[in-house]
């Protein structure tokens, strides 16, 4: 996936649901986060790198991916994408050509 061109429809082979965080307080005043589904979008997912570490007596896998979607306003690093049981936390969002055609999103998937 080149950074110098628009994403094409044939590259968008994955369906991802964008989710927006909803912040509230529990009965003790603690912060709570729930997730509200926003649009389901066509996307391209490209693995970047991964790592594993041993925490709390289990192996935790951390994978970084590049997600490309058609440009849309309002996609923020506080949002996430889901695909079935997979969750991709958005780390960074870039307008690839700065012309409003393609968003390139760096995300982290924990498993």
């Amino acid at each position: 996936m080149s950074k110098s061109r628009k994403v094409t429809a044939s590259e968008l082979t994955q369906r991802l649901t964008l989710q927006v965080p909803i912040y509230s307080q529990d009965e003790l005043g603690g912060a709570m986060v729930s997730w509200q589904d926003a649009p389901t979008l066509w996307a391209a997912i490209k693995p970047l790198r991964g790592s594993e570490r041993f925490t709390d007596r289990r192996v935790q896998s951390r994978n970084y991916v590049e997600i490309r979607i058609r440009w849309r306003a309002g996609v923020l690093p506080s949002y996430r994408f889901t695909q079935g049981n997979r969750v991709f936390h958005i780390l960074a969002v870039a307008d690839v050509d700065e012309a409003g055609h393609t968003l390139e999103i760096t995300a982290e998937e924990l498993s």
Side-chain angles (χ1 to χ4, degrees), residues 7-110:
V7 67
T8 63
S10 64
E11 293 175 292
L12 303 176
T13 60
Q14 305 288 321
R15 296 291 281 167
L16 299 179
T17 300
L18 183 64
Q19 291 189 324
V20 177
I22 306 297
Y23 300 100
S24 60
Q25 289 186 344
D26 63 18
E27 59 276 354
L28 299 175
M32 290 179 40
V33 178
S34 59
W35 294 91
Q36 180 177 9
D37 286 351
T40 297
L41 308 167
W42 286 103
I45 302 173
K46 176 183 168 186
L48 297 176
R49 66 185 185 285
S51 65
E52 290 182 340
R53 66 181 204 188
F54 190 74
T55 59
D56 298 325
R57 293 187 221 157
R58 68 180 194 93
V59 175
Q60 183 179 44
S61 175
R62 182 175 295 204
N63 298 306
Y64 295 90
V65 297
E66 173 187 285
I67 298 172
R68 290 170 62 99
I69 61 173
R70 294 196 188 278
W71 186 90
R72 65 179 302 113
V75 178
L76 302 174
S78 59
Y79 294 3
R80 71 183 191 181
F81 285 104
T82 60
Q83 182 185 53
N85 292 331
R86 298 175 77 185
V87 177
F88 302 94
H89 297 276
I90 297 174
L91 302 174
V93 180
D95 182 352
V96 175
D97 55 8
E98 297 184 357
H101 295 134
T102 303
L103 288 182
E104 184 175 278
I105 298 158
T106 304
E108 176 183 45
E109 177 185 18
L110 298 175

